[in-house]
Amino acid sequence: MSLEEAVTLAHGQGGSETLELLRRLVFSKVDESLKKVPRGLGIDKPDDGSLIPLPDGRYLVATVDSYTVNPPFFPGGNIGSLAAHGSINDVVMMGGKPLAMLDSIIAEEGLPMESLERIVDSFISVLRSEGIALIGGDFKVMPKGQVDRIVITTVGLGVAEHPIVDEPKPSDKIIVTDYVGDHGTVILMSQLGLGDVEEIASGLLKSDSKPLTPLLPVLEKFHGYINAARDPTRGGLAGVLNEWAQESGLVFVVEDAELPIREHVKRYAEMLGVDPVYLASEGVAVLSVHPEVAEELLRELRARGFPNARIIGEARSSEKYRGYVLSRTPVGGFRVIEPPRGVLVPRIC
């Protein structure tokens, strides 16, 4: 990278460019001994959050995320509820019970007070319904034109007795808890001025943003058998599976016919030239599960409010295809699901 190069939108999409930039700017410059606390987990193994061991044998889970979604109000939520759900879900994906949150809000001069109040009310409403304390925060205003309406950063804190550190194993079954791509489709269509189509106006198509805390009893019951857990936000399902494949050296094989994608999401994604597996979800989990318990865990998920959960494929050992994600088509062929690159949908979350 030359001195003339500049940061691009692609560097913030959570895909290959983001990882390359972080490796160059951060991971390569921080001493190995400072990438985590002793017996913990940090940027030595990037995940949804970090782990700090507690004296009683449990772990403090800490996560941070910034939200810049455009538009800030969208079908199914707004940037306030999204910020709360996002950090809650990152703690849950580490196997932690969310306990507290801190927030930092930067608003643009001229943002209507009514809009700000609706956003903050949504944020607090989520915390109240989940019993999560708001223990600190910050609020600043930038001059008009120096920030686009509002940016929210949240820090989520929780405690995990059995933390989940992403280490998929050969023969693991891949389980997805719900339909994928709803949030990304809604935001993309809103950005393109298609937010008034019948499916959105009627409520059939809206963001899936929601907390994943109902998963906690399932994660606890099957602890030791869940080898990885992630919510497919930026980069979508394709991003999660490619990260796991590259880090583990396994090949992930999924069945096209089993990918949980709503028909109207498929239709609009095809119209816009986007593969739905790259579109973000904000209330879905992807689990890599020991095959011995996969069917039982699936039944438990469906009984606990995830009726659309399904097994979509498995992880395999393969020298020839290590690090790849392959999808078997209905006619028996395979297509490669590439890692997300470039700018598919800017400011998705």
Side-chain angles (χ1 to χ4, degrees), residues 132-187:
I132 295 171
L134 180 62
I135 61 173
D138 188 25
F139 182 83
K140 289 186 171 65
V141 178
M142 292 285 284
K144 192 170 184 60
Q146 296 188 16
V147 67
D148 185 8
R149 290 166 288 183
I150 188 167
V151 173
I152 300 178
T153 298
T154 49
V155 173
L157 301 171
V159 172
E161 188 168 353
H162 302 104
I164 300 172
V165 177
D166 287 356
E167 293 179 344
K169 303 288 191 301
S171 302
D172 273 3
K173 299 296 183 183
I174 308 305
I175 294 178
V176 176
T177 61
D178 211 334
Y179 290 105
V180 297
D182 290 16
H183 178 77
T185 303
V186 166
I187 298 301

Side-chain angles (χ1 to χ4, degrees), residues 273-305:
V274 178
D275 188 331
V277 298
Y278 293 94
L279 292 173
S281 304
E282 293 290 345
V284 177
V286 186
L287 308 175
S288 186
V289 178
H290 192 290
E292 183 182 324
V293 301
E295 290 292 344
E296 183 185 356
L297 191 150
L298 188 62
R299 289 194 294 273
E300 187 83 13
L301 283 173
R302 290 172 175 168
R304 288 186 174 272

Side-chain angles (χ1 to χ4, degrees), residues 112 137-138 186 190-191 205 208 237 239 263 266 275 280 288 299 316 328 331 333 337 347:
D138 188 25
V186 166
S190 298
Q191 291 180 359
L205 179 55
D208 61 353
L237 181 62
E263 282 305 316
K266 283 183 186 175
D275 188 331
S288 186
R299 289 194 294 273
R316 300 178 184 173
R328 192 193 332 255
V331 296
I337 298 180
R347 298 177 60 184

Side-chain angles (χ1 to χ4, degrees), residues 62-65 87 91 100-104 133-135 153-157:
T63 184
V64 62
D65 214 335
S87 286
V91 172
M101 197 171 290
L102 298 89
D103 71 324
S104 173
L134 180 62
I135 61 173
T153 298
T154 49
V155 173
L157 301 171

